[in-house]
């Protein structure tokens, strides 16, 4: 399990190593055509790499074009419940937050599906829940997947970590991918942000990715919440994790996301670290140079202007017209969001802007989008 591997990696020593990188280290990493290791990744995200941002942008664009062409896969998240038993200090779904809790009924879920299809021809659906296994557990998620199959061809979930056999059970209901955010790999501070509930169990969460791999999940999405801890160290730990997963579960596809913390509905908690656009761009370029095949996703947490810019340089998947409250697409209820979105464009406006930039938005199943790539441009499809 990855938790065992993580015990061998010192957070403090990794932080020191990143900030000790030199111009020579950056040049060495940039000179490699492939097979970059985590040490190279650390050089590319280090302050020493700042003068090379334009070089990194061109390399990132080159590798993205070679692997993905001009396609941008479009997806839509659907929150089917905001009921949660966790106490994450930064989240609007915090159990102590006085808000209306909603668990959508089957009829309401179907209404959401129909409303989404009216926005744009979405085929990639991400079902999102809070963590309340007693009221909205595996049977509830399985039923939501069953109901989605007539409307969407590619189904993913972002829910509480499950057992391997539960992930495997959900694949029988059409599940194709799972997204899970570790939030932070800093085990020493993890419980500060997750004091109570199942999410407070660090090992259970970090080893959830192993269980996904063991269950044969087709695609695994991972990420850290930028704002909790030193971001360079956190994403380096994620790079270690990605390489570990690729080695052990090599048939699986992987995606990464770098959500920057935004204000939550419970207020109070402020990010410990603020990452500006230039730093997020550097991280994105570094990840693409580090791994040419990984899918890099940006959500509507980011601004329209920034998302447009990064769509030409390394990002390969985007959400559009996202609602972060249950029932948001059909009824616009008076319930609180998990977080405020920044890009408030309609899906058709996102599509228009991407086409203006020379990108090709793809609404259907992501795997099918490779059919649009020029022959010989795909280096690997696992």
């Amino acid at each position: 399990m990855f938790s065992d591997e993580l015990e061998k990696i010192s957070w403090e020593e990794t932080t020191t190593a990143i900030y000790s990188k030199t111009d020579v280290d950056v040049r060495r990493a940039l000179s490699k055509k492939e097979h970059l290791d985590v040490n190279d990744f650390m050089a590319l995200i280090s302050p020493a790499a700042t003068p090379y941002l334009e070089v990194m942008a061109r390399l990132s664009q080159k590798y993205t074009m070679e692997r993905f062409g001009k396609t941008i896969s479009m997806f839509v998240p659907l929150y089917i419940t905001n009921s949660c038993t966790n106490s994450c200090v930064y989240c609007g779904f915090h159990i102590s937050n006085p808000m209306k809790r909603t668990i959508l009924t089957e009829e309401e879920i179907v209404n959401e599906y129909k409303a989404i299809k009216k926005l744009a021809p979405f085929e990639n659906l991400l079902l999102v829940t809070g963590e309340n296994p007693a009221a909205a557990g595996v049977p509830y998620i399985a039923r939501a997947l069953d109901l989605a199959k007539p409307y969407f061809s590619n189904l993913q979930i972002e829910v509480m970590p499950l057992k391997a056999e539960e992930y495997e059970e959900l694949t029988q209901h059409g599940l194709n991918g799972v997204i899970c955010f570790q939030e932070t790999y800093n085990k020493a501070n993890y419980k500060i942000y997750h004091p109570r509930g199942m999410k407070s169990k660090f090992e259970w969460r970090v080893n959830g990715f192993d269980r996904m791999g063991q269950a044969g999940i087709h695609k695994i999405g991972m990420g850290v919440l930028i704002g909790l801890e030193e971001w360079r160290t956190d994403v380096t730990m994620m790079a270690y994790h990605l390489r570990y997963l690729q080695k052990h579960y090599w048939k699986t596809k992987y995606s990464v996301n770098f959500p920057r913390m935004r204000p939550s509905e419970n207020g109070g908690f402020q990010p410990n670290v603020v990452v500006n656009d230039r730093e997020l761009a550097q991280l994105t370029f570094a990840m693409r140079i580090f791994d040419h095949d990984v899918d890099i996703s940006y959500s509507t947490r980011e601004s329209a202007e920034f998302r447009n810019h990064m769509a030409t340089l390394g990002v390969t998947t985007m959400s559009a017209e996202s609602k972060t409250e249950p029932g948001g697409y059909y009824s616009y209820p008076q319930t609180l969001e998990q977080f405020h979105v920044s890009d408030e464009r309609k899906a058709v406006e996102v599509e228009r802007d991407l086409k203006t930039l020379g990108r090709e938005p793809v609404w259907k199943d992501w795997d099918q989008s490779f059919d649009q790539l020029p022959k010989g441009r795909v280096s690997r499809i696992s």
Side-chain angles (χ1 to χ4, degrees):
M1 292 290 192
F2 183 68
S3 61
D4 298 325
E5 298 299 315
L6 197 58
E7 289 292 333
K8 305 172 187 176
I9 308 171
S10 166
W11 180 276
E12 292 75 18
E13 291 176 5
T14 300
T15 303
T16 300
I18 294 169
Y19 284 89
S20 299
K21 294 299 180 185
T22 66
D23 184 85
V24 173
D25 297 317
V26 177
R27 286 177 175 271
R28 183 183 301 113
L30 290 173
S31 69
K32 291 187 175 182
K33 303 298 183 183
E34 53 186 8
H35 305 307
L36 276 74
D37 57 27
V38 177
N39 193 53
D40 297 315
F41 179 73
M42 288 192 283
L44 295 176
I45 61 170
S46 73
T50 302
Y52 295 90
L53 197 60
E54 290 301 323
V55 176
M56 291 173 63
R58 290 195 294 271
L59 272 178
S60 177
Q61 185 179 54
K62 174 180 180 291
Y63 295 141
T64 303
M65 283 292 294
E66 289 177 352
R67 177 64 177 88
F68 297 90
K70 296 182 179 181
T71 59
I72 300 290
S73 180
M74 308 301 299
F75 78 95
V76 62
L78 172 59
Y79 288 69
I80 54 177
T81 175
N82 58 12
S83 181
C84 192
T85 58
N86 290 319
S87 299
C88 309
V89 298
Y90 51 81
C91 182
F93 290 176
H94 188 296
I95 189 173
S96 300
N97 193 16
M99 61 184 289
K100 180 182 177 181
R101 303 292 172 162
T102 301
I103 300 176
L104 297 183
T105 65
E106 291 188 9
E107 180 182 0
E108 290 170 332
I109 289 173
V110 171
N111 284 339
E112 290 295 292
Y113 294 159
K114 292 177 179 178
I116 287 171
K117 296 298 282 190
K118 291 179 180 178
L119 302 179
F122 286 107
E123 289 291 340
N124 302 311
L125 176 71
L126 175 66
L127 291 175
V128 188
T129 72
E131 186 163 331
N132 188 345
V138 173
Y140 178 73
I141 298 167
R143 184 57 182 153
L145 290 168
D146 287 338
L147 294 170
K149 284 186 284 189
Y151 301 94
F152 305 95
S153 62
N154 189 44
L155 304 177
Q156 300 190 66
I157 59 172
E158 185 181 337
V159 303
M160 61 275 188
L162 304 174
K163 299 176 183 177
E165 55 267 31
E166 291 175 324
Y167 284 125
E168 189 171 5
E169 176 187 344
L170 291 178
T171 64
Q172 306 304 311
H173 294 268
L175 178 65
N176 185 60
V178 179
I179 294 175
C180 183
F181 292 93
Q182 181 57 31
E183 316 297 14
T184 179
Y185 286 87
N186 190 331
K187 184 178 178 180
N189 291 344
Y190 181 85
K191 204 150 189 174
I192 294 174
Y193 311 114
H194 313 96
R196 295 180 300 278
M198 276 298 293
K199 198 169 179 178
S200 67
K201 302 181 186 299
F202 180 88
E203 285 82 3
W204 175 253
R205 191 168 189 87
V206 79
N207 290 334
F209 299 87
D210 278 282
R211 298 191 298 273
M212 297 172 206
Q214 292 163 4
I217 295 297
H218 178 66
K219 185 173 184 180
I220 294 175
M222 55 201 310
V224 295
L225 183 56
I226 304 294
L228 292 181
E229 290 289 330
E230 163 53 54
W231 69 270
R232 290 183 169 92
T233 311
D234 242 341
V235 297
T236 296
M237 297 302 179
M238 187 176 70
Y240 276 119
H241 199 176
L242 176 62
R243 283 292 186 256
Y244 165 90
L245 292 170
Q246 289 172 328
K247 177 181 178 181
H248 288 82
Y249 313 105
W250 53 270
K251 291 184 178 181
T252 299
K253 296 185 177 184
Y254 296 94
S255 67
V256 293
N257 197 318
F258 319 113
R260 288 187 285 186
M261 187 177 295
R262 295 185 57 78
S264 63
E265 290 294 338
N266 63 338
F269 186 85
Q270 295 298 319
N272 294 314
V273 178
V274 176
V275 173
N276 60 38
D277 287 355
R278 192 173 179 83
E279 290 171 328
L280 183 57
Q282 179 184 353
L283 168 56
T284 304
F285 302 152
M287 180 57 70
R288 173 59 67 225
I289 298 168
F290 172 64
D291 194 300
H292 303 177
D293 295 332
V294 72
D295 183 19
I296 300 178
S297 179
Y298 269 24
S299 74
T300 52
R301 286 175 181 259
E302 302 302 334
S303 70
E305 180 181 11
F306 189 64
R307 294 212 307 163
N308 281 345
H309 183 59
M310 296 305 295
T312 67
L313 298 174
V315 172
T316 48
T317 296
M318 285 187 177
S319 55
E321 203 164 342
S322 303
K323 305 295 180 184
T324 63
E325 72 276 19
Y329 296 101
Y330 177 75
S331 57
Y332 299 94
Q334 298 302 309
T335 56
L336 297 183
E337 301 172 313
Q338 186 184 32
F339 60 87
H340 296 300
V341 301
S342 182
D343 186 348
E344 297 182 339
R345 290 175 294 173
K346 301 292 186 183
V348 291
E349 294 173 324
V350 176
E351 178 184 37
R352 177 203 63 203
D353 291 349
L354 288 174
K355 287 185 173 180
T356 300
L357 293 166
R359 303 300 99 179
E360 185 57 43
V362 176
W363 304 95
K364 59 185 177 183
D365 186 344
W366 171 234
D367 291 339
Q368 298 174 22
S369 69
F370 288 112
D371 295 338
Q372 298 186 10
L373 294 183
K375 298 301 181 183
R377 299 295 290 275
V378 181
S379 61
R380 187 185 81 201
I381 300 181
S382 55

